[in-house]
Amino acid sequence: MSVYPVPAQFHQVEEVIKNSRFITQIFPVQDNNHAKQIIQQQKAAYPDARHHCSAFVAGAPNDSNEYGFSDDGEPSGTAGKPMLAVLQGSGLGEVLAISIRYFGGVKLGTGGLVKAYAGGVKLALETLPTIEKVIRQEYQLTCEYHQFDQIQYWLKQYDGQIIQTNYTDNVRLLLALDATNSENFANKLKDMQLKLQKLQK
C-alpha cells in the first residue's frame, strides 16, 4: 500500500454515558514506540481517571506488526480490542486512539463497555482531519548529462523526488518514487536504455 490516510493532527471528543465521562483522543504516531510513549504521557496527564484504554495502528493500515491495544483494567476484550477494530475498519495508518474514562458509579456491563469504547473512537474519527501519506521507495539511476533534463521532466510527471545528485563523468541520482509511479517511470527509462535500480532497506 503506497498511499493511505493518516491523522493530520491531534483530535479529541468527549461523551458522558451513564455518568461516566469518556474522553477519546486521536494522535498521529510515527511507530509502535511513539504510540507507547504517548499512552504513558496521557496516563500521567490524567492521573485521577479510572482507565486509560488504547489501540493503535502505528504503521501502514495492513501492517499487523504495528497493531496494539490495552484494556487497562477494564474486563478483557471490552475496550482495547473494539477500539482497534474501529481503527482497522477506518483504513487509517499511523494512528493512536486513547479513551480516558472517569467512572461515574454506574456499571455499563460488557456490551455497554464495548459500545462506549468503540463508539467513542467512531465519533472521533467522524470529525478527524486527515492527510494522505505517500510511501516512497528509494532508487538509484545513472544517466548521461544530455539525458538529465528529460529525466527531470519525467520525474515531475510521476511525482518523483531527487534526493541526491552526484556529478562525475556522468550523473548519478538517488530518487524517491511510490510503487505505481516507479513502474511507469522505469518504462520511460527503457526507451533511453536506462535502468532504475531499487535500493534494499
Side-chain angles (χ1 to χ4, degrees):
M1 184 177 292
S2 58
V3 181
Y4 54 84
V6 298
Q9 61 193 48
F10 168 75
H11 188 57
Q12 177 175 302
V13 297
E14 288 192 33
E15 290 180 285
V16 176
I17 302 171
K18 291 187 178 178
N19 297 331
S20 280
R21 181 184 172 205
F22 290 86
I23 304 169
T24 304
Q25 302 177 327
I26 306 294
F27 295 84
V29 291
Q30 296 159 7
D31 54 34
N32 218 302
N33 290 330
H34 186 210
K36 290 172 183 175
Q37 285 174 5
I38 293 174
I39 292 166
Q40 292 307 313
Q41 288 168 4
Q42 295 310 99
K43 283 185 176 183
Y46 297 84
D48 52 340
R50 177 73 68 89
H51 304 284
H52 307 77
C53 304
S54 58
F56 56 81
V57 177
N62 57 356
D63 185 358
S64 59
N65 291 324
E66 295 293 336
Y67 295 170
F69 64 88
S70 169
D71 294 315
D72 193 42
E74 292 283 27
S76 179
T78 62
K81 206 166 185 179
M83 291 169 68
L84 178 60
V86 175
L87 293 181
Q88 288 174 292
S90 73
L92 284 165
E94 300 178 21
V95 58
L96 162 66
I98 299 176
S99 186
I100 298 160
R101 182 188 182 191
Y102 287 88
F103 184 57
V106 179
K107 291 187 176 181
L108 301 183
T110 302
L113 288 171
V114 170
K115 187 177 179 183
Y117 282 108
V121 177
K122 284 179 186 174
L123 183 66
L125 295 186
E126 283 174 8
T127 51
L128 174 71
T130 62
I131 55 175
E132 280 198 339
K133 171 78 177 270
V134 179
I135 303 300
R136 288 183 168 89
Q137 170 68 43
E138 291 185 357
Y139 298 86
Q140 282 182 331
L141 175 65
T142 301
C143 68
E144 300 299 329
Y145 280 87
H146 71 272
Q147 298 171 315
F148 189 35
D149 285 345
Q150 184 65 54
I151 286 167
Q152 288 185 93
Y153 171 77
W154 281 335
L155 273 174
K156 285 182 182 177
Q157 300 303 306
Y158 294 114
D159 196 28
Q161 297 174 344
I162 297 177
I163 300 171
Q164 190 177 329
T165 309
N166 290 323
Y167 299 99
T168 55
D169 52 334
N170 47 32
V171 184
R172 296 181 182 182
L173 303 169
L174 180 62
L175 309 174
L177 294 122
D178 70 58
T180 303
N181 283 328
S182 65
E183 193 174 326
N184 294 328
F185 180 63
N187 287 333
K188 289 287 187 184
L189 294 176
K190 285 178 184 176
D191 297 336
M192 302 169 73
Q193 280 75 52
L194 296 175
K195 188 176 181 182
L196 198 60
Q197 184 181 347
K198 186 176 181 179
L199 292 183
Q200 299 300 322
K201 289 193 175 182

